[in-house]
Amino acid sequence: MPANNPHPQTTPLGRTVLAPTGQWATVVHNDPINLMSYVRWVFENYFGMTVAQANDCMLRVHHRGRARVSEGGREQMERDAQAMHTYGLKATIEPLGDAE
Amino acid sequence: MMAFQPVRGGYIARASEEERSMFMSLARDVIYILGGDVHEQIARSEAVGDDPLAVFEAEMAGIDSKLQAEIDDDTHEECTDPLCSHHLPLDDALERLLPDMSEDPEQAAELRTLTEETIAVAKISHLVDFYRGLDNDSEDADLVELPNDDAIAWLAAMNDIRLVLATRLNIDNDDDSERVYLRAGNFTGYDTRKQDEIVEIETTEDMMAVLYTMTTWWQESLLIAMRKKELRG
């Protein structure tokens, strides 16, 4: 599920959106270490999600084991996954064709 | 230890010299796992000053030369240090710090080549900021001062420390995590039912459980303090 970003192009943690369309998704995977409050903070500050969006997304990761956090071109997804890893979240990129 | 509190220009907390030196030691260890050296990093950043590009280039050069030294070093078989990471074909902690970026192995390898060094450099930079921030000789010895600009680095650094400790403690699911926090409670007295029964820490594993719990608590307090600041506007 895409995290729509109606806010300005650069988020507090430096995410800039390169292209609005593409065939890839970034997926965050659940882990027993990261605090829920930390994961929410990363989602809000990197993706520019609202408090509610970040919470929903974090809960999806927690309960389903994984959730798509962004969609777009492959290069953008690589940047997003790289940022997730920098903050200690487990993330992978996958083609959008695969079912969520 | 005292939780982080928002103040003008940043945050403050309190940690004894012993506590600060434990966190510094953990930061140093995680930097080492990532292929860096905290003292080298500090010396290098003092040499190049604050130009971010110069710092970045110096860090990349440092990692390159370290990798080259490993390739050139054919005497390592004689090393007998059991903690030396050369002997660990797959260091779980390193794997957790730098996990695969794709469920497809070929793609994961390609993405690792593209991104691993950049991520490692960023993590090392956060840990060095954390280390330096704790290494104070102010008159108020317990005071920990965190400027706004460094808050994200400290948050990320504490997270990486948690990742490494959790991996060493074999925390694979929420039950494991709960068990570790409960166990740590025996030693810290945070479990108020056991105030009279505080036990001495005897094993490395117990020590790690306590450190993990402390880092978790401190990180969460910083998150709360950052939220408070956000709300105040």
Side-chain angles (χ1 to χ4, degrees), chain B residues 113-130:
Chain B
T113 307
L114 282 173
T115 65
E116 188 175 70
E117 215 170 327
T118 309
I119 297 170
V121 162
K123 284 178 184 277
I124 289 171
S125 163
H126 296 153
L127 288 155
V128 169
D129 284 350
F130 183 58

Side-chain angles (χ1 to χ4, degrees), chain B residues 138-159:
Chain B
S138 77
E139 279 173 10
D140 189 349
D142 277 11
L143 185 65
V144 175
E145 292 177 287
L146 170 56
N148 281 325
D149 283 350
D150 292 345
I152 291 171
W154 284 42
L155 204 56
M158 282 190 276
N159 207 62

